[in-house]
Amino acid sequence: MKNNYFLLTNLLSEDERKVITCIISHIQRGEKRVGIQQIAAENYLSAGSIVKMCKRLGFDGYSELYYHLSRQLLSTENGREETLKSLVDNYSDALVEQFITLMRDRRGGKIFTTGEGFSHIVGSYFVQRLSICGFMAFSNVHFYDYMLFQETQPGPSGLENAVMFAVSQSGETGPVLNDVRHAKKHGHKIVSFTRRGDSTLARLSDLVFIVDGAKQTLAVSLPNLFFGHVILVFEELMASFFTPIQ
């Protein structure tokens, strides 16, 4: 089973993490309720140690933990699609599947982000999340340095197995478009988040997510929810990527 990073916390020890992921795997396979003795045996632990873990995490016992995880998984899976539908103007199941396929195909490659101003902050968030999830992720500052290195120290010929995430409200931010064009020349796939589906950035992208779509964007408009919504969309997309195929 792939790790469900959105369910686990740093409150868990390694043994406790294994117990939780073991329970989750049984639930996601649609099995009938698995008893504590089976979970203990599969993880080479005693039932008593699992009960102690449950109480430490605030549950009365194993049954309450199992019920909580079952409800959490159900609400997460049902709510994810609705969240994406409400935030992404051009949402479709196919678009999400294309994102998952792209990330799976380029799992071992480099991932770069680009953005200016608040969009740069969003890109930095992407880098932190991707790094925690095991991806090799870099900001646009490192992208510039990396391109210079590639040009002075060329490696094997051929296109790179890389992805660039681009964030721009207007889709017309000059430095972002320069980064995207440069990345495309090196075979990078482009995933963009913008308000304008008719923008240059959208046209250059392999996958585009239209968030809070608008024909015109005003930098001073308040409240500006675009950046927060982009992060929410990204989190839901990553959760979809790490959800095991049933």
Side-chain angles (χ1 to χ4, degrees), residues 191-232:
V191 179
S192 66
F193 299 83
T194 181
R195 278 185 161 175
R196 293 183 53 195
D198 61 346
S199 64
T200 303
L201 177 60
R203 290 194 296 272
L204 291 172
S205 300
D206 297 282
L207 294 178
V208 57
F209 293 87
I210 310 301
V211 179
D212 297 342
K215 292 295 183 182
Q216 299 293 330
T217 58
L218 299 176
V220 296
S221 61
L222 293 174
N224 188 341
L225 303 180
F226 172 77
F227 305 105
H229 285 170
V230 169
I231 289 176
L232 287 174

Side-chain angles (χ1 to χ4, degrees), residues 114-116 140 166-182 200-201 204:
T114 182
E116 293 290 305
N140 58 331
V167 183
S168 170
Q169 284 194 92
S170 66
E172 301 295 343
T173 307
V176 173
L177 295 179
N178 288 339
D179 286 346
V180 166
R181 290 188 176 104
H182 206 159
T200 303
L201 177 60
L204 291 172

Side-chain angles (χ1 to χ4, degrees), residues 3-18:
N3 289 328
N4 285 268
Y5 295 93
F6 52 101
L7 287 176
L8 305 181
T9 76
N10 57 7
L11 295 175
L12 301 177
S13 68
E14 182 63 20
D15 283 342
E16 291 170 343
R17 185 189 67 81
K18 290 179 181 178

Side-chain angles (χ1 to χ4, degrees), residues 112 139-149 179:
F112 297 94
S139 70
N140 58 331
V141 175
H142 298 295
F143 170 73
Y144 179 73
D145 293 336
Y146 177 72
M147 289 294 103
L148 287 177
F149 178 80
D179 286 346

Side-chain angles (χ1 to χ4, degrees), residues 100-128:
I100 293 171
T101 300
L102 174 62
M103 296 298 284
R104 186 178 297 122
D105 291 346
R106 305 213 165 190
R107 185 73 166 89
K110 298 177 180 66
I111 298 181
F112 297 94
T113 66
T114 182
E116 293 290 305
F118 285 111
S119 294
H120 174 74
I121 297 174
V122 174
S124 296
Y125 181 92
F126 285 7
V127 169
Q128 297 296 323

